[in-house]
Amino acid sequence: MFKSLAELRAACAELPSGDAASAAAVARREGQLTKPPRSLGRLEQLVEWLARWQRRNPPRLSQVDILVFAGNHGVTARGVSAYPAEVTTQMVANFAAGGAAINQLARNAGASLRVIPLALDQPTADFTVAPAMSEAEFLTAVTTGYDAVSPAADLVCLGEMGIGNTTAAAALVAALFAGGGGARWAGRGTGVDEAGLARKRAAIDAALDRHAGILADPLSAAAAVGGRELAAILGATLAARRQNIPVVLDGFVSTAAAAPLKKLRLDGLDHAMAGHVSAEAGHRTLLGELGLTPLLDLDMRLGEASGAALAVLLLRAALACHTGMATFAEAGVSDKA
Amino acid sequence: MFKSLAELRAACAELPSGDAASAAAVARREGQLTKPPRSLGRLEQLVEWLARWQRRNPPRLSQVDILVFAGNHGVTARGVSAYPAEVTTQMVANFAAGGAAINQLARNAGASLRVIPLALDQPTADFTVAPAMSEAEFLTAVTTGYDAVSPAADLVCLGEMGIGNTTAAAALVAALFAGGGGARWAGRGTGVDEAGLARKRAAIDAALDRHAGILADPLSAAAAVGGRELAAILGATLAARRQNIPVVLDGFVSTAAAAPLKKLRLDGLDHAMAGHVSAEAGHRTLLGELGLTPLLDLDMRLGEASGAALAVLLLRAALACHTGMATFAEAGVSDKA
């Protein structure tokens, strides 16, 4: 349990680096496999990345865990979403019953799925008028996320559900990457109309004004204008790094949630990849700010770790090639003219 | 067996259309599933496309067949490839032994793999000086591809192997989409160096000059400057359409091979999708000419249907969501505010 922002900040500063030797061993083998050099493109880089952050050669994907955190948001009172706040709880029930997209996508990817609701009956405060969370509430949510990561996982996918949370995510990245405000970062979320989008922009700008004094600190910003499920994703991303587990981020909200780690340390998200770029307006911009190149671009905007779960399919394919292919020598194929 | 170009041309002109009713039924159900409308983006369109061209609601992916056609090319005498021509036969042996990338990717995708070598001991003629194939040779290759498509398949992925075949593919699309020549269409293939690339461009331009009189006809062009594996892919693409089987094309060579169908009929490739856009220089340009939007963009340039096999993973994921998700009514989730 993180007991203070200072303690959490210290944990964010003590991060293991990747293992260059494992990554180099993967690259060496890739060069010997029966294909023109680098002709599997991004797939080869994925295996190197897995090896680097698992600190293991070859890497493995025996246990892939999908964690979906759910939270409720006081800012929904500002009319920022196309859906009523009770949908968060309804969708958590739908996850439990197996009826949501991520249930199908997790099974399809051979991944376990765990949905973790965070005090759904206690929405965060409307951050246009007060901090979304107290320091204690924020640290509790971060710790919940931190503790949700199993040390046995080979890969963790992080997703979310929470009516109103694209507003929180946009406010958070507007705080972290100053200069654009609501106009730069607000998108349509689940499908808000033009008037709702205007209210969303206004709510973000009001939050930036209201909390201006403390937004320079990434963790304070995450507490003031974020959300519980975002805080949990931050905690899970941190836990994964400290346990040598690579992370697949999902869409705009997941990426925004993890972004404070990059602001605290330039290499803070090097163990994380962007499973996809979503159709939510700010996601591509945010990935650019973070230097992340998304694996997929399928015009999705669902959240729930749905894009991350699809990325798992490509990671498995990449690893299957790496471990299963014959070398030029084994296959008796001429290596160049 | 196609006995003449005229007979083949007639077959290319008699194509079934897609089934709008099945596609509409899929779209209707997608709108009822527990997610914001269209939030699964491209995944939803994929299921609609499967339903339209399988003429079936819901569509299915019980039998996915990957067909890899292999051929040899006389134009390799012009020094257009980084690898010697014997690698084609060596790689076919590697496919048989299970050591190639596509072996791993097919298994990973739950697809069957069939590799079909086409007269590897009889390379096509060097098309800078003579037609690559006689009409009879071309029709034999087209027929081989046509007959390789099983009527039981729910989806067919088409790939190729053939040292020198990016030169043939580039010459073919340079003939089909006049005005660019070798400079527009030649890429590095398996990794040819600068001098080899110059020879490749020159070979393409020489072929365009040599066969100028007959290149206006897409099928004659495919015989004069194509290759046996390209002709087989053309035949397989045609067979799939006539048997209501959607097709996933792979990279530059596969797409070029199928392109004559689009030149013969504006909707000739509507049952085909681009599994990915490869790193081979001309592929993105070619997809643009054909109006195809690739599903993946992973900087791959291997061929072997490798990109198409990855696309199967996303098709399966899309179908799993479509068939497995609960509707708003079933789940008791509020549909909009």
Side-chain angles (χ1 to χ4, degrees):
Chain A
M1 172 73 196
F2 294 109
K3 297 207 179 53
S4 68
L5 286 188
E7 192 186 318
L8 174 57
R9 193 172 295 110
C12 293
E14 282 166 41
L15 302 180
S17 60
D19 176 24
S22 291
V26 163
R28 236 176 356 258
R29 177 168 163 83
E30 284 290 336
Q32 297 164 350
L33 299 177
T34 44
K35 59 182 173 51
R38 290 173 296 287
S39 61
L40 282 175
R42 190 89 191 261
L43 295 195
E44 301 184 25
Q45 297 161 21
L46 290 176
V47 185
E48 280 187 54
W49 172 80
L50 284 174
R52 180 182 301 276
W53 294 104
Q54 289 184 359
R55 305 188 64 86
R56 183 194 288 139
N57 171 46
R60 66 180 183 212
L61 290 171
S62 305
Q63 182 176 334
V64 176
D65 289 352
I66 299 176
L67 303 177
V68 175
F69 299 96
N72 270 320
H73 298 265
V75 73
T76 53
R78 300 281 148 190
V80 295
S81 178
Y83 287 81
E86 55 263 31
V87 166
T88 305
T89 297
Q90 293 168 350
M91 280 301 295
V92 167
N94 195 27
F95 294 141
I102 191 58
N103 299 100
Q104 326 313 317
L105 294 174
R107 187 182 317 114
N108 183 67
S112 77
L113 171 64
R114 219 177 120 207
V115 177
I116 298 142
L118 294 124
L120 294 188
D121 55 348
Q122 296 165 48
T124 54
D126 173 358
F127 54 55
T128 65
V129 296
M133 292 166 276
S134 68
E135 188 176 308
E137 288 172 325
F138 173 68
L139 292 170
T140 298
V142 170
T143 302
T144 300
Y146 195 98
D147 293 345
V149 174
S150 162
D154 298 314
L155 183 76
V156 169
C157 299
L158 299 177
E160 43 57 46
M161 167 72 213
I163 297 301
N165 70 7
T166 58
T167 305
L172 175 54
V173 293
L176 297 177
F177 304 98
R184 185 180 191 205
W185 294 108
R188 291 188 184 271
T190 50
V192 82
D193 61 15
E194 200 57 44
L197 183 59
R199 291 192 295 269
K200 191 165 173 176
R201 288 188 184 123
I204 293 162
D205 290 337
L208 295 176
D209 274 355
R210 171 73 182 73
H211 306 289
I214 53 110
L215 296 182
D217 171 49
L219 296 179
S220 298
V225 301
R228 285 195 177 82
E229 73 276 40
L230 281 82
I233 288 170
L234 177 65
T237 307
L238 175 62
R241 173 65 161 263
R242 290 165 63 97
Q243 294 170 82
N244 303 317
I245 304 168
V247 166
V248 185
L249 298 170
D250 187 31
F252 179 59
V253 177
S254 295
T255 310
L261 282 175
K262 173 87 173 183
K263 297 299 280 192
L264 290 169
R265 232 181 102 136
L266 198 59
D267 71 350
L269 287 181
D270 285 4
H271 69 302
M273 60 169 279
H276 76 136
V277 56
S278 86
E280 175 67 8
H283 195 208
R284 197 178 299 271
T285 308
L286 177 57
L287 293 174
E289 291 280 5
L290 296 171
L292 293 171
T293 305
L295 194 59
L296 292 162
D297 183 357
L298 298 172
D299 202 32
M300 291 165 58
R301 49 180 175 78
L302 177 59
E304 300 181 6
S306 54
L310 294 176
V312 172
L313 303 173
L314 299 181
L315 285 160
R316 289 198 188 283
L319 187 57
C321 287
H322 182 75
T323 57
M325 283 177 72
T327 63
F328 281 102
E330 288 164 354
V333 174
S334 308
D335 187 6
K336 291 267 173 173
Chain B
M1 173 71 194
F2 294 108
K3 299 207 178 55
S4 67
L5 286 187
E7 192 187 316
L8 175 58
R9 192 173 296 111
C12 293
E14 281 167 41
L15 302 180
S17 60
D19 177 22
S22 291
V26 163
R28 239 181 347 262
R29 178 170 162 81
E30 285 290 336
Q32 298 164 351
L33 300 177
T34 45
K35 59 181 173 51
R38 291 173 296 287
S39 60
L40 282 175
R42 191 89 191 261
L43 295 195
E44 302 184 25
Q45 297 161 23
L46 291 176
V47 185
E48 279 188 53
W49 172 81
L50 284 174
R52 181 183 300 275
W53 294 104
Q54 288 185 358
R55 305 188 64 86
R56 182 193 289 138
N57 171 45
R60 66 181 183 211
L61 290 171
S62 304
Q63 183 177 333
V64 176
D65 289 352
I66 299 176
L67 303 176
V68 175
F69 299 96
N72 270 320
H73 298 265
V75 73
T76 53
R78 300 281 149 190
V80 294
S81 178
Y83 288 80
E86 55 264 32
V87 165
T88 305
T89 296
Q90 293 168 349
M91 280 301 295
V92 167
N94 194 28
F95 295 140
I102 191 58
N103 298 99
Q104 325 314 317
L105 294 174
R107 187 182 318 114
N108 183 66
S112 77
L113 171 64
R114 219 176 120 207
V115 177
I116 298 141
L118 293 125
L120 296 188
D121 55 348
Q122 296 164 48
T124 54
D126 174 358
F127 54 54
T128 65
V129 296
M133 291 166 277
S134 68
E135 187 175 309
E137 288 171 324
F138 173 69
L139 292 169
T140 297
V142 169
T143 303
T144 300
Y146 195 99
D147 293 345
V149 174
S150 161
D154 299 314
L155 183 76
V156 170
C157 299
L158 298 176
E160 43 58 45
M161 167 72 214
I163 297 300
N165 71 6
T166 58
T167 305
L172 176 53
V173 293
L176 297 177
F177 304 98
R184 184 180 191 204
W185 294 107
R188 290 190 186 270
T190 51
V192 82
D193 61 16
E194 201 57 43
L197 183 60
R199 291 191 295 269
K200 191 165 173 176
R201 289 188 183 123
I204 292 162
D205 290 336
L208 294 176
D209 274 355
R210 170 73 181 73
H211 306 289
I214 54 108
L215 296 182
D217 171 50
L219 296 179
S220 299
V225 301
R228 285 195 177 82
E229 73 276 42
L230 281 82
I233 288 169
L234 178 65
T237 307
L238 175 62
R241 173 65 162 264
R242 290 163 65 96
Q243 293 169 84
N244 304 317
I245 304 169
V247 166
V248 185
L249 298 171
D250 187 30
F252 179 60
V253 178
S254 295
T255 310
L261 282 175
K262 173 86 174 184
K263 298 298 281 190
L264 289 168
R265 231 181 103 137
L266 198 59
D267 70 350
L269 287 181
D270 285 3
H271 69 304
M273 59 169 278
H276 75 137
V277 56
S278 86
E280 175 66 9
H283 195 208
R284 197 178 297 271
T285 308
L286 177 57
L287 293 174
E289 291 280 5
L290 296 171
L292 293 172
T293 305
L295 194 58
L296 293 162
D297 183 357
L298 299 172
D299 202 33
M300 292 165 57
R301 49 182 175 76
L302 176 60
E304 300 181 6
S306 54
L310 294 176
V312 172
L313 303 174
L314 299 181
L315 286 160
R316 288 199 189 281
L319 187 57
C321 287
H322 182 75
T323 57
M325 284 177 71
T327 63
F328 281 102
E330 288 163 355
V333 173
S334 306
D335 187 5
K336 291 267 174 173

